[in-house]
Amino acid sequence: MTDVRMFGYSDPFSARAGKEINFMISAEGTRKVNSKIVRLIHGDENPDGPGFLEEDIQTEVPETLEVKRQYVQLGSFAEVKDHEDTFSKLKSFSMCAFIWPSLPGKQRQTILGSWSVSEGIGYALGINPEGKLEFWIGDGKVVDHVTAEIKLVPKVWVLAAVSFDSTKRKAIIYQINAQNSWNSLIGPVAPFNHNSIVEEKTRIIPSMGNKSFLISGSHEHNKERGDFVSLIFNGKIDRPAIFNRVISHKEFKALSTGGKIADPLAFWDTSAGYDKDGIKDEILDVAGKELHAQGINKPVRGMTGWNWRGKDDSFRLAPEEYGGIAFHDDALLDCKWDVTVSWTPPDDIRSGVYALKIWEKNKEDYIPVIVRPSKPRAKIAVQMSTFTYLAYANERLAFDAPTAQAIVGHTPVVSEEDIEAYKLLEFGLSTYDHHNDGAGVCFSSWKRPILNLRPKFRLSGMTIPWGLPADLSLLWWLENENYDFDLITDHDLDREGVEALNPYKVVINVTHPEYYSEKMLDGTEEYLMHGGRLLYIGGNGYYWVTAACKDDPSCIEVRKLDTGSRAWQAEPGEGYLVSTGERSGLWRSRGRAPQKLVGLGFTTEGFDQSQPFERMPDSFHRHVAWIFDGIGESEVIGDFGLGFGGAAGIELDRYDLLLGTPPHTMLIASSYGHSDNYPLVSEEITYAFPGRGGSQDPQVRGDMIFFTTPSNGAVFAAGSIAWSQSLPCFGGKNNVGKVMHNVLQAFLKSGPLPGSSFVGAEKHWR
């Protein structure tokens, strides 16, 4: 009997009350699951806190749901819209494309064609399991192959081409070097021969069948799952074309040096369609018949092409050199599952984190959704870090990243659930992972099961909550202390700008607001400039330049560049977001260090032990002493917590005037005693030398600060992921909570803040 397995996702992942939310479920080993809607109150099962808490919600969602196995189409490819069956009428024909194969060999891959694996019908130009360029045709009974003599070299551009003469049943396959000093992994000084011409007579002419023309894939059918696309290409494809005649070697040779071949049947100009804001997923046919190709699972645009010369590092400067489109056989943006059940939260429902809870036998799953109020109700908004949730979605660092293991300071502790999740490659990757060919993952979406976006999840390899379950500690504390609050999300702020924040007297960040768009930065800055009050109580915030994908709010894009704590680094020339046209990487590298906005910026991370904060001299100043009402002069703050035992830890931010911390900022507390498993972040290190760990470098610490902004606005910041995870200790009655109470009580009142009249005309310089 098959074990019960069940997975699901919601779309949208966040919605206003009164708007419909769809839940998609796939199950094996059962055809029915129990179900109910719950509100998630606390996610950490640590006995030092309140434990796991949920509230049943009365809804019209059935108590039992009919479920089925739903399948996933992995891999990025493009499908041509051929409404007039143009390609099925081919007799003699030729095909070509510039290719940069990143993983030749091991398995068959398709570059372009109309091929049915199941039926053995059609034609395709691709790569065989030995890593050689190959052309294959089939008539349903016989399959013929013509194979190049020389293996493809990984990450080296060549022109791959084939001509087929149906009257003579003759195929010629061409592999022509297109390498230059800039565009490939190895340069021209390497004495490799990339050229090959092979001519063979075939036994058959292909049966064209009725399958669509694909770039980077072939058609396949399975009795259980139905039709899908397989034999996905790994690497970049630039300017593919097909002709309804035989093209000569001379013509292909001219094409390989920048020439053109007249009268293509279809020519997909992969460099066409760029504007100042990037490019969409549709690949334009410029030959006249508008046989455009639609990208599936987000083939990566904005990549250097076969003719890149290294002078310009952005598609905005030289779009003609950015025809490369990267395809990956493990890419996933949208499972496209059928809807299992829908739920519309009533207009009067409490704003919060809800979930469709499903269970059967000894298996359960929570499919979360964030519900925003139908209209603002509270004075406090908690901004849920939905961009960051997606960036880490299904990350595999504990297994695949040695650097992550080193930071932990101990052998990673993995559970059976971690191992099971690691095996589930079908649900896609995070922006901390690498595709099978080694390329970093730059897109992530909520339209798939995200196994670490569950209330009881604990960080793989460690023992602490991360992301959403860690953020529930803050929500629990606010509710436990009778504060009314609304939830908003990064996506709301990105879409609406400052209007998402303006209804609120106070905005609170959650534990890890790492991924931010320009619209989010601008909205937060404008909010603070006009009297808004912000509690930044997370770590490593406002860090990576991120964008929502064009025409798809479920998707984010980020590229990791030359600095920052990064799991991968973009190839040269490929650091610009195709979603917005802007340079990715760190906001700090673009002149907007987080210190300029919230006073603190990322300085260290570690996963062995968290520490407390101790008061600094500024904390006794009459302008800020009210923050510590009820706290002793020598009392340490947060020597407890669900995040490794302290309020200062995991990832920490520090005050730094040289990076833009407002000069009048009061440095009111700092952490101390961090181990050498807390290294200084890489962007601070211009020369590598010993002594950059927590026991040696004074920059390895977390800081607590306060500063005012125009119109009676203010920022309180405690730069630590662990801060909110200290709040639930001792039933919520602790000195971390006392600091929060003091700040919130002051921030919720209108007019000048206690002791803040000195700010404005006078600056506080120490």
Side-chain angles (χ1 to χ4, degrees):
M1 181 177 178
T2 303
D3 290 339
V4 173
R5 301 169 77 224
M6 49 193 172
F7 307 98
Y9 62 96
S10 63
D11 185 29
F13 172 52
S14 63
R16 282 191 183 275
K19 301 297 183 181
E20 185 178 66
I21 300 162
N22 294 321
F23 294 94
M24 280 60 69
I25 299 171
S26 174
E28 301 170 66
T30 183
R31 295 191 176 184
K32 292 183 178 181
V33 297
N34 301 297
S35 69
K36 61 181 176 181
I37 297 292
V38 298
R39 184 169 67 90
L40 301 175
I41 299 172
H42 194 257
D44 192 346
E45 298 175 286
N46 190 324
D48 290 339
F52 180 76
L53 298 172
E54 64 183 37
E55 176 190 12
D56 291 354
I57 304 298
Q58 297 301 313
T59 72
E60 295 181 357
V61 171
E63 293 182 356
T64 303
L65 299 174
E66 299 284 341
V67 292
K68 63 183 179 180
R69 171 76 188 274
Q70 304 207 59
Y71 292 89
V72 174
Q73 172 63 69
L74 271 182
S76 52
F77 59 93
E79 185 169 20
V80 175
K81 302 171 184 176
D82 182 10
H83 301 297
E84 299 180 2
D85 296 326
T86 306
F87 301 110
S88 66
K89 303 169 186 175
L90 289 173
K91 301 298 183 184
S92 296
F93 64 94
S94 301
M95 298 189 295
C96 65
F98 290 96
I99 66 169
W100 188 85
S102 55
L103 199 63
K106 296 186 180 180
Q107 60 190 24
R108 187 172 297 277
Q109 302 172 51
T110 308
I111 299 167
L112 67 164
S114 177
W115 176 251
S116 170
V117 176
S118 309
E119 300 172 284
I121 289 175
Y123 58 95
L125 179 63
I127 302 171
N128 71 13
E130 288 73 47
K132 293 181 178 180
L133 195 65
E134 192 166 81
F135 173 64
W136 57 88
I137 57 175
D139 64 1
K141 297 179 181 179
V142 177
V143 175
D144 268 348
H145 302 80
V146 182
T147 307
E149 296 175 308
I150 298 172
K151 287 185 178 181
L152 293 159
V153 178
K155 301 184 180 180
V156 172
W157 283 102
V158 297
L159 176 64
V162 65
S163 65
F164 179 74
D165 188 327
S166 63
T167 59
K168 298 179 181 179
R169 297 206 315 273
K170 183 177 73 173
I172 307 175
I173 191 167
Y174 301 93
Q175 182 174 309
I176 303 173
N177 181 33
Q179 171 195 44
N180 67 31
S181 302
W182 306 91
N183 66 8
S184 299
L185 176 64
I186 62 173
V189 298
F192 291 171
N193 179 11
H194 304 286
N195 298 303
S196 173
I197 302 175
V198 175
E199 176 181 331
E200 288 188 13
K201 190 174 180 66
T202 65
R203 294 170 290 172
I204 60 168
I205 61 173
S207 173
M208 293 304 177
N210 61 355
K211 301 298 184 183
S212 61
F213 191 92
L214 299 177
I215 301 171
S216 176
S218 290
H219 296 277
E220 192 164 349
H221 181 84
N222 178 279
K223 182 179 179 180
E224 292 294 327
R225 65 176 296 182
D227 295 330
F228 62 102
V229 174
S230 62
L231 308 188
I232 304 292
F233 176 79
N234 284 290
K236 292 189 283 190
I237 297 176
D238 191 347
R239 295 171 176 85
I242 186 168
F243 307 82
N244 58 2
R245 61 186 175 90
V246 174
I247 302 298
S248 68
H249 175 244
K250 181 178 179 181
E251 291 174 290
F252 281 135
K253 181 67 176 175
L255 182 65
S256 72
T257 58
K260 294 183 179 180
I261 300 177
D263 301 322
L265 178 63
F267 171 51
W268 294 279
D269 187 349
T270 49
S271 69
Y274 285 111
D275 59 29
K276 64 182 178 63
D277 297 323
I279 196 169
K280 296 182 180 180
D281 292 335
E282 188 175 55
I283 305 169
L284 300 177
D285 167 34
V286 297
K289 293 184 178 292
E290 297 187 351
L291 295 166
H292 307 313
Q294 182 62 42
I296 307 297
N297 279 331
K298 211 77 178 166
V300 185
R301 312 296 296 269
M303 309 296 268
T304 55
W306 75 275
N307 56 347
W308 187 59
R309 302 294 299 178
K311 179 179 180 180
D312 299 306
D313 70 344
S314 168
F315 55 80
R316 290 194 288 105
L317 298 174
E320 70 281 358
E321 295 183 13
Y322 277 80
I325 303 179
F327 297 88
H328 301 284
D329 63 2
D330 55 356
L332 176 66
L333 266 294
D334 188 350
C335 285
K336 298 184 178 179
W337 285 353
D338 295 335
V339 176
T340 306
V341 68
S342 298
W343 173 53
T344 301
D347 286 341
D348 60 351
I349 198 170
R350 179 176 189 160
S351 180
V353 181
Y354 291 79
L356 175 66
K357 180 180 180 179
I358 56 176
W359 71 97
E360 177 64 18
K361 298 181 181 177
N362 63 339
K363 299 288 186 179
E364 69 174 14
D365 191 20
Y366 291 82
I367 307 171
V369 63
I370 297 168
V371 177
R372 188 182 182 190
S374 56
K375 58 183 179 181
R377 294 177 181 165
K379 292 183 178 181
I380 298 172
V382 178
Q383 184 180 330
M384 306 300 286
S385 295
T386 50
F387 272 32
T388 300
Y389 299 158
L390 293 186
Y392 282 89
N394 294 335
E395 58 87 5
R396 307 161 68 81
L397 288 171
F399 293 88
D400 293 343
T403 53
Q405 295 176 15
I407 293 172
V408 174
H410 58 74
T411 302
V413 179
V414 294
S415 66
E416 290 184 11
E417 290 80 6
D418 294 331
I419 295 170
E420 183 64 23
Y422 183 74
K423 294 176 182 177
L424 288 169
L425 296 171
E426 64 198 271
F427 297 146
L429 302 166
S430 77
T431 64
Y432 285 79
D433 297 314
H434 295 79
H435 291 291
N436 286 330
D437 65 354
V441 179
C442 61
F443 294 115
S444 181
S445 165
W446 71 54
K447 293 180 180 178
R448 57 192 176 121
I450 300 176
L451 305 182
N452 55 358
L453 197 63
R454 297 299 190 255
K456 299 179 183 179
F457 173 79
R458 300 178 82 80
L459 191 61
S460 298
M462 287 165 254
T463 57
I464 57 167
W466 185 265
L468 178 64
D471 297 339
L472 290 174
S473 287
L474 170 64
L475 304 189
W476 174 86
W477 182 84
L478 289 168
E479 182 175 341
N480 189 64
E481 300 301 312
N482 298 312
Y483 287 102
D484 292 327
F485 60 91
D486 293 342
L487 298 189
I488 61 173
T489 70
D490 290 350
H491 285 78
D492 298 327
L493 181 54
D494 178 75
R495 182 177 58 253
E496 301 169 20
V498 71
E499 294 305 315
L501 306 179
N502 277 340
Y504 300 102
K505 193 73 175 176
V506 180
V507 174
I508 308 176
N509 287 122
V510 287
T511 61
H512 198 191
E514 181 178 1
Y515 289 79
Y516 253 66
S517 71
E518 183 174 0
K519 292 178 182 177
M520 292 161 65
L521 288 182
D522 290 347
T524 304
E525 188 172 65
E526 189 173 349
Y527 173 73
L528 290 172
M529 289 169 59
H530 291 89
R533 294 168 178 179
L534 176 71
L535 276 75
Y536 169 48
I537 50 172
N540 187 16
Y542 311 89
Y543 195 66
W544 289 110
V545 178
T546 314
C549 299
K550 280 179 178 286
D551 303 325
D552 186 359
S554 75
C555 171
I556 62 163
E557 180 187 8
V558 64
R559 305 206 183 187
K560 308 298 178 74
L561 301 190
D562 300 331
T563 191
S565 298
R566 57 203 185 279
W568 57 273
Q569 183 163 316
E571 294 279 351
E574 297 177 350
Y576 283 72
L577 302 176
V578 293
S579 303
T580 57
E582 65 187 313
R583 189 178 190 272
S584 193
L586 298 188
W587 279 115
R588 169 175 170 169
S589 299
R590 287 184 50 195
R592 296 191 77 169
Q595 284 89 344
K596 295 174 68 173
L597 184 63
V598 294
L600 302 177
F602 188 33
T603 189
T604 189
E605 62 183 329
F607 298 88
D608 58 354
Q609 188 176 9
S610 297
Q611 302 296 337
F613 288 91
E614 64 176 342
R615 295 179 64 171
M616 292 286 104
D618 278 0
S619 72
F620 301 99
H621 196 287
R622 66 185 184 280
H623 297 304
V624 292
W626 54 271
I627 295 174
F628 299 92
D629 285 350
I631 294 174
E633 293 185 0
S634 59
E635 183 178 347
V636 297
I637 301 163
D639 55 345
F640 50 84
L642 307 183
F644 293 132
I650 306 175
E651 297 188 9
L652 297 168
D653 292 14
R654 78 166 195 274
Y655 164 113
D656 195 329
L657 294 170
L658 296 178
L659 289 172
T661 297
H664 64 294
T665 297
M666 309 292 278
L667 176 59
I668 55 179
S670 293
S671 66
Y672 62 94
H674 297 288
S675 76
D676 290 336
N677 289 315
Y678 279 80
L680 191 66
V681 290
S682 61
E683 57 265 33
E684 296 286 353
I685 300 173
T686 51
Y687 287 92
F689 57 87
R692 313 313 295 266
S695 69
Q696 303 153 317
D697 194 315
Q699 296 175 99
V700 175
R701 66 179 195 272
D703 286 334
M704 190 186 303
I705 61 166
F706 173 84
F707 66 91
T708 54
T709 66
S711 304
N712 294 318
V715 172
F716 167 81
S720 167
I721 282 182
W723 175 266
S724 292
Q725 295 175 70
S726 292
L727 290 169
C729 293
F730 312 113
K733 308 303 180 182
N734 56 67
N735 58 14
V736 174
K738 174 61 72 174
V739 170
M740 291 284 288
H741 272 302
N742 293 340
V743 173
L744 281 171
Q745 293 300 319
F747 276 23
L748 286 168
K749 295 177 182 177
S750 298
L753 288 158
S756 63
S757 59
F758 79 103
V759 175
E762 178 187 353
K763 293 182 178 179
H764 174 71
W765 299 87
R766 71 180 37 78

